[in-house]
Amino acid sequence: MSFEDAADFVATLPRMGALAGLDLGTKTIGVALSDVMRGVATPSQTIRREKFTKDAEALLKILAERQAIGIVIGLPRNMDGSEGPRAQSTRAFVRNLEKLTHLPVLFWDERLSTVAAERALLEADTSRKRRSEVIDHVAAGFILQGALDRLAHLRREADGE
């Protein structure tokens, strides 16, 4: 089941358990994972895309190994908030993935996540070659961390803090 709203997404999850963040590109899928308390997103790896069946198999293997209970996927909206071909491709990927797993999926606005990841890697004085190797899963980390921060805010509101 997929969600646009973080509150609806979190209502389907147990209180603890790791989430996966995905940055879906045409050539790669960046993967990040959270801790079970959902406080910190850690960039994990990049999957080289081949065809959907192989991509999904590799992704689901990672999710099973890390016991992920949900997925946050970056939705590449245009700067005006509209959705173009890349967003439609992301939605199609999720529709196909939902046929293979019961994990809930949250669409998360990923505008500027790759820019933020690139900036962080430049500030860390990462070489051009290394940046190209890690940019996708670092961007997935930014996507997931944004969602984790929102989920933490919702939890604090629900707990009356």
Side-chain angles (χ1 to χ4, degrees):
M1 180 176 297
S2 60
F3 299 89
E4 299 281 335
D5 183 76
D8 295 336
F9 173 72
V10 77
T12 68
L13 301 173
R15 191 138 173 101
M16 291 179 55
L19 297 177
L22 305 179
D23 181 30
L24 187 69
T26 55
K27 296 180 181 176
T28 60
I29 303 171
V31 182
L33 294 150
S34 77
D35 59 308
V36 296
M37 297 291 292
R38 297 186 212 134
V40 178
T42 304
S44 175
Q45 63 193 85
T46 299
I47 299 169
R48 292 261 166 243
R49 294 195 68 183
E50 296 179 42
K51 61 179 186 173
F52 175 79
T53 308
K54 287 187 177 188
D55 300 345
E57 184 179 295
L59 177 60
L60 293 174
K61 181 179 180 205
I62 294 166
L63 299 181
E65 287 171 355
R66 297 299 294 268
Q67 300 175 336
I69 60 165
I71 300 168
V72 176
I73 189 164
L75 186 64
R77 296 184 190 274
N78 296 323
M79 291 309 287
D80 66 0
S82 65
E83 293 185 13
R86 286 189 56 229
Q88 293 169 358
S89 176
T90 299
R91 289 187 183 280
F93 181 89
V94 169
R95 276 193 305 276
N96 290 328
L97 190 63
E98 287 175 327
K99 296 172 186 170
L100 303 175
T101 182
H102 296 294
L103 293 176
V105 178
L106 173 63
F107 289 107
W108 190 257
D109 187 345
E110 72 162 32
R111 280 180 281 192
L112 302 178
S113 63
T114 301
V115 173
E118 181 82 23
R119 184 172 296 135
L121 291 169
L122 284 169
E123 288 174 6
D125 201 26
T126 309
S127 72
R128 183 181 312 238
K129 181 179 187 296
R130 183 72 179 137
R131 281 196 312 269
S132 70
E133 293 169 356
V134 302
I135 189 71
D136 296 307
H137 59 269
V138 172
F142 273 88
I143 291 164
L144 181 56
Q145 190 63 55
L148 293 175
D149 292 347
R150 176 67 179 143
L151 297 178
H153 176 76
L154 291 171
R155 187 179 316 130
R156 284 191 303 273
E157 278 185 344
D159 293 344
E161 292 179 21

